[in-house]
Amino acid sequence: MKKIYYLLLMFLTLSNFVYPQAHNFNSPIVLAYFPSYSETWATTSQNSKLREIPSFVNYVFLAFAKPNLTYTKNSFNISGTGIEVPYDGCALKESVAALKAKGVNVILSIGGETYWNTADAYNINYQQIKDLVDDIGFVGIDWDFEPNGSFAQIGSATNVQHFKDFITNSRALMPKNQGYIIACAPSGVGALGGQINDDTSSPYKYANRNSLTGETDTNLYNATTPNNGISLFGFGATGHMIPVIQAVGDKIDIIAFQGYNVGASTNRSIMYDSFAHYAETYGFKVVAGVHVPNEPWGPYYTYSHQSVADLAYHIKNYPQRVGDKDGIMLWQLLMTSAAGTGYTFMNVSSQVLNGTPVATAVANASSYSLATYTGGAIGCDPGTGPTTYCGAQSYVATQSYPTANTQVYYNCKIWKNGWWANSNEVPGSNPVWTVVSDCNSGPGCAGLGSEDFGLDDLMSVFNDQNELVVKLNSPNLDFEKIEIITLQGRKIFEKRNIQKECRVNKLNMTTGVYVVKCTVNANVYVKKISIE
């Protein structure tokens, strides 16, 4: 028995670069669909590139992959996946890495309206889905299950079982404690009690429909007439997620319900409330879906900056869910209308969810900037990207730096800009740049010891037998990001949202000196460490 135990322990040590842990939701979820085919759209008001999504959108559903996708690990050949970006898998990996670097988590969305229309769609190879997720750098998957292109029959016993199987089988290969996210995007009426699927123990059960809405059943089946929510109880899809949640709710991280195309009900918060009731028991995050006008079915209800801000305020301050990081989802990011754009709707949502007053957020809906991608993210070749020293990219004189607090390496120091730095505004010769720390790892710089740059007593970096340990000594702070970088500038390790300690298996590291770059409370600390 001991032999089996030690063999298992050795396998786990070799197969995991660090000890695994669940994904850390460290801020309210601001999530938007980004259809992969939309990269070809030409816009004048907003960027249409995946890699240029601004950081106030902190989660992205990249849509859509085929449920029965085919993919060979390490091939980066996405031709059999259903993803329709106008470039190859290596460029997609670069885009995902560029977003990850600024805190935007990309989730692969599977299904949609069109990919469920054949029986073959249900011949799913979950291992190939996981291989694609791992190779490209997605943080997980979203099951966008719309059988036959709609929600009309989603509440049937067969489709409920399909939904359970999707969650169970994908979670088995992509465990929660290894940081994988499993999400789904059901109908907005999925947690309200229906005539087919109901939960008599829920306050949102079918029998309570009249007391919850203050309405009679006059418009129960009349979804095109404005009402206070009674029509939401009359769909065939109503309640379809109840048996799914009761069976596998603990395996789900995010339920981003589609709170659109549900008719003329002006009561949009009741859908969130019904999912929140189950979230308290099963532990998932609830994200309320909204739509840039007009909805395809209708329009019977038109979202506006004001109504989305009001919904975000309701979510942020919902008594049972305060601090649980629930949020807003949008279909879809590149849509535009007279009411606003995907970006303005997301900007409003982000502001309110993070504490900005509703009126202020609505007034500032268009107050954001979009930066053009300037390179540096890693594609298929781990050595790609500009040269890096002490965790910062080398300064490029021909490049401008539009984002304040961007760190660069120049002349044996790490610098950061206080505002937009134009090209040829060289660090040390212009007040836009200020020194962050010394950096002795660049060409011609003295010293290859283990000196600290701003570490003080905040953290410790040390060798412990076969592991490199990065430990935070403050009880009130967590690591936002830890990176390990060779002196040649190649990043060999990165992990986000770590609590107090990170252990890295040194079997994956050759003898030499490495730079350990830690981000804590928006500050960057760097240490060089020798690995023997």
Side-chain angles (χ1 to χ4, degrees):
M1 184 66 184
K2 286 185 177 180
K3 183 177 181 180
I4 294 174
Y5 170 78
Y6 287 121
L7 287 173
L8 178 61
L9 181 62
M10 181 178 294
F11 171 77
L12 291 174
T13 301
L14 291 173
S15 61
N16 292 286
F17 206 55
V18 294
Y19 289 114
Q21 67 176 39
H23 180 85
N24 185 11
F25 295 91
N26 55 15
S27 59
I29 297 173
V30 183
L31 185 156
Y33 274 93
F34 187 95
S36 56
Y37 50 79
S38 65
E39 291 240 26
T40 59
W41 294 4
T43 64
T44 56
S45 60
Q46 58 196 44
N47 301 26
S48 64
K49 302 299 183 186
L50 173 66
R51 59 184 61 179
E52 293 173 356
I53 293 174
S55 58
F56 61 76
V57 182
N58 56 9
Y59 289 85
V60 173
F61 280 164
L62 181 67
F64 291 100
K66 297 189 295 186
N68 58 329
L69 65 83
T70 57
Y71 178 75
T72 301
K73 187 169 180 58
N74 296 323
S75 71
F76 297 96
N77 180 357
I78 59 175
S79 62
T81 66
I83 300 172
E84 300 176 86
V85 291
Y87 41 73
D88 63 15
C90 290
L92 177 58
K93 180 179 180 180
E94 182 183 1
S95 292
V96 171
L99 290 175
K100 183 179 180 181
K102 54 184 175 181
V104 183
N105 301 277
V106 184
I107 299 169
L108 179 63
S109 188
I110 299 174
E113 289 187 5
T114 60
Y115 282 146
W116 296 105
N117 290 331
T118 65
D120 191 52
Y122 298 88
N123 295 326
I124 301 172
N125 188 315
Y126 292 91
Q127 182 61 55
Q128 292 188 21
I129 292 175
K130 179 183 184 296
D131 291 342
L132 177 63
V133 167
D134 291 341
D135 280 2
I136 301 301
F138 299 118
V139 296
I141 59 174
D142 157 52
W143 288 103
D144 195 305
F145 183 40
E146 300 181 35
N148 304 116
S150 75
F151 289 131
Q153 301 299 319
I154 197 171
S156 70
T158 298
N159 285 327
V160 166
Q161 187 58 51
H162 278 316
F163 224 144
K164 294 178 186 178
D165 292 342
F166 301 152
I167 302 298
T168 301
N169 294 333
S170 53
R171 179 53 87 195
L173 284 178
M174 291 178 274
K176 184 173 294 197
N177 67 358
Q178 291 184 17
Y180 291 101
I181 290 175
I182 301 296
C184 59
S187 170
V189 299
L192 296 168
Q195 296 173 72
I196 299 174
N197 296 291
D198 196 13
D199 178 2
T200 57
S201 67
S202 169
Y204 301 94
K205 61 187 177 183
Y206 184 71
N208 287 354
R209 65 192 182 281
N210 304 116
S211 59
L212 286 166
T213 63
E215 297 178 307
T216 68
D217 285 346
T218 300
N219 287 318
L220 179 61
Y221 303 115
N222 183 6
T224 63
T225 298
N227 60 84
N228 191 44
I230 191 64
S231 66
L232 299 175
F233 290 85
F235 289 100
T238 302
H240 78 90
M241 277 300 290
I242 292 173
V244 178
I245 292 171
Q246 290 173 334
V248 297
D250 61 328
K251 295 178 172 62
I252 301 172
D253 296 297
I254 300 173
I255 292 184
F257 66 83
Q258 298 185 31
Y260 40 85
N261 290 337
V262 288
S265 170
T266 57
N267 186 345
R268 297 283 152 146
S269 61
I270 193 173
M271 292 183 282
Y272 168 80
D273 299 348
S274 63
F275 279 104
H277 165 71
Y278 291 104
E280 284 299 285
T281 299
Y282 295 95
F284 53 79
K285 309 297 181 187
V286 184
V287 186
V290 301
H291 202 291
V292 177
N294 286 318
E295 297 177 1
W297 185 50
Y300 300 115
Y301 180 86
T302 301
Y303 280 105
S304 64
H305 290 146
Q306 184 65 51
S307 64
V308 169
D310 290 340
L311 180 59
Y313 183 85
H314 175 83
I315 292 169
K316 176 178 173 57
N317 296 284
Y318 193 70
Q320 291 77 32
R321 301 290 294 166
V322 170
D324 285 332
K325 309 299 193 298
D326 292 346
I328 295 288
M329 175 267 281
L330 178 80
W331 177 269
Q332 55 107 327
L333 194 57
L334 296 184
M335 291 185 71
T336 62
S337 74
T341 71
Y343 282 105
T344 62
F345 275 84
M346 287 281 87
N347 188 29
V348 167
S349 301
S350 177
Q351 290 182 68
V352 175
L353 290 170
N354 286 287
T356 300
V358 166
T360 303
V362 171
N364 294 330
S366 299
S367 298
Y368 63 89
S369 60
L370 295 173
T372 301
Y373 174 70
T374 55
I378 296 176
C380 295
D381 179 2
T384 57
T387 305
T388 302
Y389 299 104
C390 298
Q393 297 177 4
S394 296
Y395 172 75
V396 179
T398 57
Q399 177 179 314
S400 62
Y401 294 85
T403 305
N405 297 313
T406 298
Q407 295 196 3
V408 298
Y409 166 83
Y410 181 77
N411 197 21
C412 301
K413 297 182 185 295
I414 303 299
W415 306 74
K416 68 177 180 180
N417 58 328
W419 53 89
W420 184 304
N422 294 313
S423 58
N424 295 311
E425 292 185 330
V426 178
S429 65
N430 191 288
V432 65
W433 296 101
T434 56
V435 174
V436 175
S437 66
D438 291 328
C439 176
N440 293 332
S441 64
C445 302
L448 289 175
S450 298
E451 59 265 58
D452 296 344
F453 302 113
L455 279 171
D456 300 321
D457 297 323
L458 181 65
M459 66 187 71
S460 305
V461 182
F462 57 91
N463 291 285
D464 182 14
Q465 296 183 355
N466 292 327
E467 294 176 316
L468 175 65
V469 181
V470 186
K471 186 176 181 180
L472 193 60
N473 300 322
S474 170
N476 301 317
L477 296 172
D478 292 324
F479 289 111
E480 294 164 23
K481 184 168 64 172
I482 294 175
E483 300 166 273
I484 299 177
I485 303 159
T486 69
L487 291 184
Q488 292 72 41
R490 183 169 66 90
K491 185 188 297 185
I492 64 166
F493 172 80
E494 177 181 322
K495 191 171 181 64
R496 292 177 178 270
N497 304 321
I498 305 162
Q499 293 184 340
K500 301 303 177 190
E501 183 176 291
C502 178
R503 289 178 172 265
V504 181
N505 190 340
K506 293 196 297 186
L507 292 177
N508 296 283
M509 304 169 69
T510 58
T511 300
V513 178
Y514 292 82
V515 175
V516 180
K517 178 182 176 184
C518 304
T519 305
V520 179
N521 199 26
N523 294 311
V524 176
Y525 303 89
V526 176
K527 180 183 178 73
K528 281 190 292 188
I529 187 78
S530 296
I531 301 297
E532 299 178 353

